Amino acid sequence: MGGDGKVFTLAEISDHNKANDCWLLIGGKVYNVTKFLEDHPGGSEALLSATGKDATNDFEDVGHSSTARAMMGECYVGEFDTSTIPTKIKYTPPKQLPHYNQDTTSDFIAKLLQFLVPLLILGVAAGIRLYTKST
């Protein structure tokens, strides 16, 4: 392996996110993949999009060959300091505005009409059916 066992923080790794300086964090190890950007079968965009974060899942999801895994040794620069992982912030939903108390009479009429109009249509249809059947 190429690195001297140096330990890097997430901030240090995140600084290397350009086409002329690209580092990836995969499996707790840091790799300098700058020389491999042009030769990567998925294109340089695939590698650049995985910078600044833990790219382990991105790497494993693709299903790299044993040859690709062996090539990683040439790019190794050091280990990752797991204590620099930012803590997750608990999500707090925004406060709701007080409920606007609108006139409830219109709601009652709307619900009543939703019930009565279909019954009225059904009654008219039944009346027409009876009237046309008897004549």
Side-chain angles (χ1 to χ4, degrees), residues 7 58 72:
V7 178
D58 296 339
M72 290 173 63

Side-chain angles (χ1 to χ4, degrees), residues 16-63:
H16 302 273
N17 60 358
K18 297 172 184 57
N20 61 353
D21 185 24
C22 182
W23 288 13
L24 294 181
L25 170 61
I26 301 172
K29 298 182 185 325
V30 182
Y31 300 94
N32 182 349
V33 295
T34 307
K35 293 186 274 184
F36 187 63
L37 283 176
E38 292 179 15
D39 299 328
H40 188 263
S44 61
E45 293 82 19
L47 295 176
L48 288 170
S49 69
T51 60
K53 63 178 184 174
D54 185 357
T56 305
N57 289 338
D58 296 339
F59 181 80
E60 296 298 336
D61 287 347
V62 174

Side-chain angles (χ1 to χ4, degrees), residues 4 17 19 24 43 57 59 63 66 68 70 80 87-88 107 114 123-124:
D4 57 0
N17 60 358
L24 294 181
N57 289 338
F59 181 80
S66 56
F80 172 61
T87 57
K88 292 192 177 196
D107 286 342
Q114 286 177 344
V124 169

